[in-house]
Amino acid sequence: MSFEQWSTRWESVPLSEAAERYDIGEASDTRVEDLEEVFGEEPECFFVHQGDLTIDGPLSIGNDPDLAPDTVYVIDGDLTVNGPMRMLNGDVYTPLYVTGSVTAQHLMCLMDSNLFVGGSLTIGGLLMTELSDMGLLVVHGATSAGAWLETWDRGEVAFNGDLNARRLRVSDGDYLEDADADDAADILLPEFLDGDAEDAAKTLWAAALEGRPLLRH
């Protein structure tokens, strides 16, 4: 995972200092008790961006094993994305900790992503979570979105503040069947529900990049 193309204000902070300044256990709501359980060993440093970060256009972050150093990314401030945002990690658990609030047009947290938000999460359109067993989304403040689509009953999603979003379920599966959730077919545009539900994340992201609407209303 790398943010260098969006900003040059990143600094490498040694682990001993960073771990004291940015408590990942607290950020994850105690779901991460030790960084070794995330990386297999302690990282050498955190990469920290001091101050708010605004990105114009889409933001897609994540990495596969061996493509980036084992580290923790911290934005010590707010993250604003003037477009859609996607976090997608595969078999690696690089956390992103935003100490302030996160705002984006759409947000997709997929597979092994670990996203911790110290403030509020504001999504104008669709929030989608499709997390594997080690995937985490933790929001300490209020969360608002046009709709929240969760397709896997595996990772953990924790909204510690108020949640204002229509919860969606996929009609051809039994996950969330008995929960207080609306049928996704009533909210998402029909083109995103054709075929296998596992393809929904790809088609939704492609449409978001093109600026097409994802929700009926």
Side-chain angles (χ1 to χ4, degrees):
M1 184 161 60
S2 174
F3 286 89
E4 283 78 0
Q5 61 179 300
W6 292 286
S7 174
T8 59
R9 295 172 56 191
W10 292 89
E11 61 173 325
S12 175
V13 179
L15 177 64
S16 58
E17 178 184 348
E20 184 175 344
R21 285 166 54 184
Y22 307 107
D23 187 338
I24 298 303
E26 180 179 340
S28 68
D29 203 21
T30 70
R31 287 166 173 80
V32 176
E33 297 181 358
D34 191 322
L35 287 175
E36 289 190 15
E37 70 181 78
V38 176
F39 296 119
E41 58 184 21
E42 288 188 332
E44 294 182 1
C45 66
F46 285 18
F47 284 122
V48 178
H49 182 282
Q50 290 288 348
D52 300 342
L53 177 59
T54 299
I55 296 172
D56 291 320
L59 171 62
S60 182
I61 52 176
N63 56 268
D64 294 318
D66 303 323
L67 293 184
D70 288 340
T71 187
V72 177
Y73 281 88
V74 178
I75 297 174
D76 198 346
D78 298 336
L79 172 62
T80 301
V81 181
N82 295 320
M85 175 180 171
R86 179 179 69 171
M87 192 171 181
L88 171 58
N89 279 341
D91 293 326
V92 66
Y93 314 110
T94 306
L96 169 61
Y97 174 28
V98 180
T99 64
S101 297
V102 173
T103 303
Q105 179 188 20
H106 306 291
L107 173 62
M108 299 180 186
C109 293
L110 310 175
M111 294 181 65
D112 300 319
S113 298
N114 279 222
L115 175 60
F116 311 133
V117 181
S120 61
L121 175 64
T122 304
I123 305 301
L126 180 67
L127 168 63
M128 180 177 184
T129 52
E130 189 170 275
L131 296 171
S132 61
D133 293 339
M134 289 291 288
L136 291 171
L137 170 61
V138 178
V139 182
H140 290 268
T143 298
S144 64
W148 168 33
L149 173 64
E150 187 178 20
T151 59
W152 287 358
D153 184 18
R154 295 179 61 183
E156 289 194 66
V157 179
F159 299 116
N160 292 343
D162 293 336
L163 172 63
N164 181 16
R166 292 170 292 183
R167 193 173 190 186
L168 308 183
R169 62 178 177 83
V170 180
S171 58
D172 60 356
D174 57 6
Y175 178 47
L176 297 181
E177 184 177 16
D178 299 321
D180 183 16
D182 297 322
D183 192 329
D186 295 333
I187 307 299
L188 291 179
L189 290 171
E191 63 187 280
F192 304 120
L193 298 173
D194 294 338
D196 196 320
E198 293 184 1
D199 295 331
K202 294 179 181 178
T203 56
L204 285 164
W205 179 246
L209 290 177
E210 295 172 2
R212 293 188 281 129
L214 307 183
L215 308 178
R216 291 178 183 269
H217 50 78

